[in-house]
Amino acid sequence: MDWQVLTRELSLYLESQVRVGFFGSGVGLSLVLGFGVAYACYYLNSIAKKPQLVASNDRFCRFLEEYCPVVTETYYPTIWCWEGRVQTLLRPFITSRPQVQYRNELIKTADGGQISLDWFDNNDSSYYPDASTRPTVLLLPGLTGTSKESYILHMIHQSKTLGYRCVVFNNRGIAGEELLTPRTYCAANTEDLEAVIHHVHSLHPSAPFMAAGVSMGGMLLLNYLGKTGRDTPLMAAAIFSAGWNVFESVESLEKPLNWLLFNYYLTTCLQSSISRHRQMLEKLFDMDLVMKARTVREFDTQFTSVMFGYRSIDDYYEDASPCRKLKSVGIPVLCLNSVDDVFSPAHGEKEWKKWIAWSSKEESPHCSLELSPRSPRLYQ
């Protein structure tokens, strides 16, 4: 292609269509065209990149490359909005929401509480007409997310085309159900998730069973897998945008711009999720103090760490960090993170390098991480 000819012809065309002025002049058009070409070159050379796939086991990598080729394909972010924080802020306003019809189920827990599950049975599945053997995917939303989040709806929509059945695990007290005990949830305590997994498996013991977690849901799922090892009915799992080291995550969120854009908002979401249960929670907590929190760390210090019996916030964050449990994971897990994710900053990759150094000696086939250059964070 002759770029000089193309540029000259485009300039002549624009000059004939645009009112004479700076941008209608040859100089203005040349600047506009030059900027456009420069931006395109920068986008293709610096923004659009192939993800980095890291794992200690070559066999697992070859499996992913063959059956999940997207993990090696170049990722092209939205050309006019590729920065992760901007994408995250715009996502709620421009993301579509597929229609999903749920069947709700409330299950009881050993301590007298209840958990809300939203089922998408996919009874019209042509791939798996037999419900007893239809693959089941358990979905875990983010920090205060529920089955109504757009990313969960899209996951179900995609699963529907594959013929799968889905069930969404809503943490206690955030999906409209009442708290029957003064207890909610956290990233480290896996008791509710264990109860849900065994309940779902008991209903469909012959069906392949998998799970996918987003953000805090992914952290909870990894902590569960690290605790149970091979002793789980799950066959495989996918983790999206998990925070690997909670200390680094909260430190990143407390930087001035990130606090303004995300931390304060997340804190208000957490406070909102418990405010309607205030009468129940006031039995154990100083709710006035909890509602004064202005960061996620302050909220966890006054509420979450106290609820689950940790001596300090550091003890809770230590226990909640999935990077410390990777060695014990006993099923295949694919984890996807973006390098520019403020909740899981790029320097958290060093935790993976430690794990790879260990697992290369042990020949562990169970975990793989795809690092995407840029993508929006799915907080809720």
Side-chain angles (χ1 to χ4, degrees), residues 132-198:
S132 64
T133 58
R134 184 178 304 144
T136 303
V137 182
L138 175 65
L139 300 177
L140 287 73
L143 186 62
T144 57
T146 69
S147 59
K148 297 179 182 179
E149 307 302 329
S150 61
Y151 57 86
I152 293 293
L153 298 176
H154 278 279
M155 286 182 177
I156 293 177
H157 182 72
Q158 183 63 34
S159 298
K160 177 182 178 181
T161 63
L162 297 172
Y164 300 165
R165 169 176 47 227
C166 294
V167 54
V168 184
F169 168 39
N170 298 294
N171 286 301
R172 294 197 198 191
I174 63 171
E177 81 285 3
E178 295 298 322
L179 280 183
L180 303 183
T181 61
R183 168 175 166 166
T184 55
Y185 60 93
C186 75
N189 189 289
T190 63
E191 293 175 359
D192 283 358
L193 178 56
E194 291 175 41
V196 168
I197 287 175
H198 287 294

Side-chain angles (χ1 to χ4, degrees), residues 39 43 47 75-91 94 374-376:
Y39 183 82
Y43 177 86
I47 305 302
Y75 173 60
Y76 296 94
T78 307
I79 193 169
W80 52 269
C81 180
W82 44 261
E83 204 274 333
R85 285 175 295 195
V86 180
Q87 285 186 336
T88 301
L89 293 172
L90 290 180
R91 183 190 63 83
I94 61 177
R374 289 175 169 81
S375 65

Side-chain angles (χ1 to χ4, degrees), residues 1 25 41 221 264 266:
M1 179 182 295
S25 68
C41 291
L221 181 54
Y264 181 72
L266 289 173

Side-chain angles (χ1 to χ4, degrees), residues 252-271:
S252 174
L253 285 171
E254 287 170 354
K255 293 179 179 179
L257 181 59
N258 293 337
W259 178 87
L260 180 64
L261 295 178
F262 306 114
N263 199 331
Y264 181 72
Y265 169 72
L266 289 173
T267 305
T268 58
C269 287
L270 286 167
Q271 292 168 329

Side-chain angles (χ1 to χ4, degrees), residues 88-129:
T88 301
L89 293 172
L90 290 180
R91 183 190 63 83
F93 303 102
I94 61 177
T95 302
S96 61
R97 301 177 63 86
Q99 293 295 316
V100 174
Q101 190 68 38
Y102 288 118
R103 172 177 62 85
N104 183 256
E105 178 186 18
L106 292 176
I107 65 173
K108 299 297 182 180
T109 61
D111 69 333
Q114 64 180 3
I115 302 171
S116 175
L117 302 179
D118 282 320
W119 289 84
F120 175 73
D121 296 300
N122 203 7
N123 289 324
D124 296 328
S125 172
S126 58
Y127 291 106
Y128 303 98

Side-chain angles (χ1 to χ4, degrees), residues 271 278 285-293 298 302:
Q271 292 168 329
R278 183 166 184 145
F285 301 96
D286 182 347
M287 292 300 292
D288 289 332
L289 186 61
V290 172
M291 300 306 286
K292 291 179 181 179
E298 290 179 5
Q302 300 297 336

